[in-house]
Amino acid sequence: VQLQASGGGLVQAGGSLRLSCDASGRSFSTYNMAWFRQAPGKEREFVTSITWSYGSTYYADSVKGRFTISRHNANNTVYLQMNSLKPEDTGIYYCAASRRAFSRSGVEVDFWGQGTQVTVSS
């Protein structure tokens, strides 16, 4: 599976962005998908994930109620709708695929996308 993230950019605090992750490969629908992010000078962290089977979603506490992950298996795409953005949401956002459940560190990730930059100004 190859992953291509897009949709990042510069936005003011309180604004919204929608990230997309396009996947190649026929087995996309059988992978759990996630978004991680890495802020400058910090370790990469888990943001949200969605399972392949029932579409169950999980969110980091810092983004609950503001971010929404979704997937469209027919299009091999995962989305991250980000609302009410804050300056602390700034970072490089990576999409990831795994056949296992995601941890905070992402050590179980099978495939990473190349990342897309999100910058939120105050």
Side-chain angles (χ1 to χ4, degrees):
V1 176
Q2 291 186 323
L3 305 174
Q4 180 76 32
S6 62
L10 173 64
V11 64
Q12 289 187 333
S16 298
L17 281 175
R18 189 194 196 202
L19 305 184
S20 298
C21 177
D22 295 312
S24 62
R26 291 176 292 179
S27 59
F28 166 78
S29 62
T30 63
Y31 279 86
N32 301 317
M33 299 297 297
W35 289 93
F36 287 75
R37 67 186 180 189
Q38 186 167 20
K42 295 187 177 180
E43 293 184 351
R44 186 162 51 193
E45 64 175 359
F46 170 84
V47 176
T48 178
S49 65
I50 185 167
T51 63
W52 73 270
S53 53
Y54 296 105
S56 299
T57 57
Y58 304 89
Y59 296 91
D61 288 342
S62 58
V63 305
K64 280 181 182 176
R66 301 187 298 121
F67 289 13
T68 303
I69 188 172
S70 60
R71 68 188 296 163
H72 196 287
N73 288 339
N75 291 344
N76 280 9
T77 304
V78 176
Y79 303 98
L80 179 62
Q81 178 65 43
M82 304 186 294
N83 299 327
S84 302
L85 282 161
K86 304 175 181 180
E88 51 264 43
D89 294 319
T90 294
I92 301 175
Y93 282 69
Y94 300 89
C95 58
S98 175
R99 292 196 182 276
R100 293 164 287 176
F102 292 96
S103 66
R104 292 169 59 91
S105 68
V107 66
E108 63 290 315
V109 170
D110 296 315
F111 302 99
W112 290 100
Q114 88 292 356
T116 185
Q117 176 71 45
V118 171
T119 303
V120 184
S121 62
S122 56

